[in-house]
């Protein structure tokens, strides 16, 4: 029973275009969300977070949107660069002291 | 500031043996979490330690155990290894359980 789902195992985008990675969750108690990027043979790297009191958070080329009623969040990368090619994980937590539940990941390929 | 370090990076063990993995968190971080990543699976949460106490535990058998020392360093132990335990084991540290910073992982192969 996956509480955090990333229904697209892979995504290909042209360099310079927007990449949109989606994440859905089932547990309505989740109120803190993180996105990570992972290259092969490395640990995941923290990208951006959002808490349930906000519906949008931006950091440079990365923007995360949260739709609590739909239990859906998305990560937008604009413009996409070849170095963004990696596996992206979303993770959710019920708040302080709660562990994070990770999605299965989406492999993003940015084509030059 | 130094990142999260994990030792060893690679390990080959035989079925039935036991193994201990080590994780040194970022200085000042009090929370250490362990995850298992296998092909096709996301990161599966094993357990979290905060100030030497296990605060959260995932759905893994009792063969998987851990501990945290007073300097926040953590160890994970797997006893009676099975072939299915072959995976990348990731450790992550955080200040209070918020944004987690991951180490490079230990690749365990059980033959």
């Amino acid at each position: 029973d996956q509480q955090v789902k990333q229904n697209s195992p892979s995504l290909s985008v042209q360099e310079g275009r927007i990449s949109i990675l989606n994440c859905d969750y089932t547990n309505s108690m989740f109120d803190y969300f993180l996105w990570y990027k992972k290259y092969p043979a490395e640990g995941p790297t923290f990208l951006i977070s959002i808490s349930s009191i906000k519906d949008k958070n931006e950091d440079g080329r990365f923007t995360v949107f949260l739709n609590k009623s739909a239990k859906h969040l998305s990560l937008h990368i604009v413009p996409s660069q070849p170095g963004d090619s990696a596996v992206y994980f979303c993770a959710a937590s019920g708040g302080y002291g709660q562990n994070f539940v990770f999605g299965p990941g989406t492999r993003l390929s940015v084509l030059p | 500031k130094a990142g999260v370090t994990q030792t060893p990076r690679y390990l080959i063990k035989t079925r039935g043996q036991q193994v201990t993995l080590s994780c040194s968190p970022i200085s000042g971080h009090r929370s250490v979490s362990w995850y298992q990543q296998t092909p096709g699976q996301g990161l599966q949460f094993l357990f979290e330690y905060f100030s030497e106490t296990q605060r959260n535990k995932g759905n893994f058998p009792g063969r998987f155990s851990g501990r945290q020392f007073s300097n926040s360093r953590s160890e994970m132990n797997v006893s009676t290894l099975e072939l299915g335990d072959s995976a990348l084991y990731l450790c992550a540290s955080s200040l209070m359980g918020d944004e987690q910073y991951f180490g490079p992982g230990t690749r365990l192969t059980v033959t």
Side-chain angles (χ1 to χ4, degrees):
Chain A
D1 171 31
Q2 275 191 338
Q3 295 188 71
V4 179
K5 304 175 186 181
Q6 293 177 257
N7 291 323
S8 298
S10 63
L11 174 69
S12 291
V13 170
Q14 212 63 37
E15 181 180 3
R17 299 288 187 100
I18 183 172
S19 295
I20 300 176
L21 297 105
N22 293 304
C23 179
D24 296 289
Y25 59 97
T26 58
N27 189 337
S28 58
M29 299 302 292
F30 287 153
D31 64 0
Y32 189 58
F33 306 88
L34 309 176
W35 281 95
Y36 286 87
K37 174 171 72 174
K38 187 180 185 299
Y39 294 120
E42 294 182 13
T45 303
F46 169 73
L47 277 175
I48 192 168
S49 65
I50 189 167
S51 72
S52 59
I53 61 172
K54 301 173 80 171
D55 55 16
K56 177 182 173 182
N57 191 24
E58 283 181 86
D59 186 0
R61 296 186 298 113
F62 302 92
T63 303
V64 56
F65 295 92
L66 175 62
N67 183 334
K68 280 204 71 179
S69 61
K71 296 191 183 68
H72 176 83
L73 63 155
S74 61
L75 175 69
H76 292 209
I77 306 173
V78 185
S80 301
Q81 301 173 353
D84 296 329
S85 297
V87 178
Y88 289 78
F89 293 98
C90 69
S93 163
Y96 176 76
Q98 302 295 310
N99 62 281
F100 282 94
V101 179
F102 280 74
T106 295
R107 182 176 301 279
L108 172 66
S109 299
V110 180
L111 310 172
Chain B
K1 193 184 266 191
V4 178
T5 58
Q6 290 186 245
T7 56
R9 291 294 311 277
Y10 303 92
L11 205 49
I12 300 175
K13 289 286 189 178
T14 304
R15 256 184 314 177
Q17 288 186 314
Q18 68 95 28
V19 67
T20 299
L21 312 181
S22 181
C23 171
S24 292
I26 291 172
S27 178
H29 283 192
R30 296 166 64 188
S31 167
V32 174
S33 297
W34 288 90
Y35 296 86
Q36 180 196 66
Q37 186 184 20
T38 51
Q41 300 282 325
L43 278 68
Q44 304 294 313
F45 173 74
L46 281 153
F47 29 68
E48 183 213 3
Y49 285 86
F50 184 83
S51 295
E52 301 179 66
T53 301
Q54 188 180 85
R55 184 161 69 171
N56 289 296
K57 189 177 188 305
N59 193 24
F60 276 79
R63 300 185 298 106
F64 292 81
S65 63
R67 59 179 176 167
Q68 186 180 33
F69 302 94
S70 58
N71 61 359
S72 292
R73 190 177 71 84
S74 177
E75 287 182 348
M76 189 192 94
N77 185 276
V78 188
S79 62
T80 320
L81 283 166
E82 300 176 0
L83 294 178
D85 297 333
S86 294
L88 180 68
Y89 290 88
L90 291 158
C91 159
S93 77
S94 68
L95 199 55
M96 298 289 286
D98 44 5
E99 287 90 2
Q100 297 185 328
Y101 295 86
F102 283 82
T106 294
R107 170 74 62 186
L108 172 65
T109 303
V110 182
T111 62

